[in-house]
Amino acid sequence: MDWFAAVDIYCERTAPGFWNEPLNAISNLSFILAALWGWIEARKRGRTDLATYVLVILAAMIGVGSFLFHTFANAWSGLADVVPIWTFVAIFILVAIHRIGGVRPGRIGIGVAVVAGIIAILFAFGGDGSGSQTTAPTPEVAQTHAHAEAGNSLLNGSEQYLPAILALIVFSFLARRKNHPFAPWVAAATVVFAISLTLRTLDMHMCGVLPIGTHFLWHTLNGLMIALLFQGLIRSPVSDSTANHR
């Protein structure tokens, strides 16, 4: 693999270059803001444990990694993009299971193995969408992105995020069933993520109508989704069974 080969899988990019995806790059501020709000609220409520600290750092790293990918736009920055995302997803799921579901830390070890296996499979099958990455086009070809549209799947690589939205749906159902305070937060986050995933999917299919694409809205809404999840987790009480096993 050529780690420095230029790629073009987004509507906004029309040529190689650091600042050829300005909206896609700048919109990653939403992750930084989500992390900052989460940290402020966690300190205010005395919830600055190690898990929260790690999640805050990972949320900020998502913004940094995605910024690198939408500026350098090559294989190594693509890796910097996806690693923080899936690490955050894995750790958040496990923390939520522990805090909200009251699952003992020992049993979470099984969850760690399962999540690690899922992530490994996603990477093995091109979880970063690299299977549809193409060398950045010449300006003439890039006007229509015809080459990229032909190389992308119908879902534009969004199928990699199906485990994430399924996890959110399951959490929404379980939290609602238990009438847990986290329920409205995770339900709102699920709706936001469904919208953002739709916009991500439409990006390369909208080039002829909307040259700037819709990927920057995927970033913006995902920052909002993470903010909602953070606030719900921080503001929700720890389950009694979890507290008894600390």
Side-chain angles (χ1 to χ4, degrees):
M1 175 184 289
D2 184 354
W3 291 96
F4 296 93
V7 297
D8 173 24
I9 56 174
Y10 302 107
C11 217
E12 189 181 18
R13 180 167 290 277
T14 57
F18 183 87
W19 206 241
N20 202 256
E21 294 180 55
L23 289 178
N24 288 349
I26 293 173
S27 55
N28 287 296
L29 282 173
S30 63
F31 299 108
I32 307 297
L33 293 174
L36 181 61
W37 185 22
W39 180 246
I40 291 173
E41 196 63 34
R43 292 190 62 184
K44 183 188 302 182
R45 295 175 181 270
R47 301 291 292 273
T48 54
D49 52 276
L50 179 60
T52 300
Y53 186 65
V54 170
L55 286 172
V56 167
I57 292 176
L58 285 172
M61 287 179 63
I62 290 174
V64 173
S66 184
F67 176 84
L68 292 174
F69 183 52
H70 289 286
T71 48
F72 288 97
N74 50 27
W76 72 260
S77 58
L79 193 62
D81 178 30
V82 297
V83 169
I85 292 174
W86 286 110
T87 305
F88 177 90
V89 169
I91 293 180
F92 186 91
I93 289 174
L94 298 176
V95 170
I97 289 173
H98 176 56
R99 288 187 181 176
I100 298 169
V103 179
R104 297 183 184 184
R107 293 183 179 179
I108 293 181
I110 299 175
V112 172
V114 172
V115 172
I118 292 173
I119 293 175
I121 292 171
L122 288 170
F123 273 106
F125 287 93
D128 61 346
S130 59
S132 61
Q133 287 179 353
T134 57
T135 303
T138 60
E140 292 80 7
V141 176
Q143 293 299 319
T144 61
H145 282 270
H147 71 294
E149 288 191 53
N152 280 329
S153 66
L154 179 64
L155 295 179
N156 200 27
S158 295
E159 60 272 13
Q160 65 180 298
Y161 294 102
L162 292 180
I165 196 165
L166 287 175
L168 285 173
I169 292 172
V170 170
F171 269 120
S172 297
F173 174 76
L174 293 178
R176 181 68 184 85
R177 187 174 182 181
K178 295 176 64 175
N179 199 28
H180 196 282
F182 187 52
W185 295 95
V186 69
T190 302
V191 171
V192 170
F193 187 64
I195 296 172
S196 70
L197 191 58
T198 300
L199 291 169
R200 184 194 188 282
T201 304
L202 291 175
D203 181 67
M204 288 302 293
H205 302 294
M206 297 285 289
C207 294
V209 179
L210 189 66
I212 62 173
T214 56
H215 196 78
F216 72 98
L217 295 173
W218 154 260
H219 292 160
T220 304
L221 290 177
N222 279 356
L224 174 60
M225 175 199 66
I226 287 178
L228 291 169
L229 292 174
F230 261 147
Q231 295 304 313
L233 193 65
I234 291 168
R235 295 164 189 261
S236 297
V238 178
S239 68
D240 293 338
S241 56
T242 299
N244 290 336
H245 290 97
R246 284 187 168 183

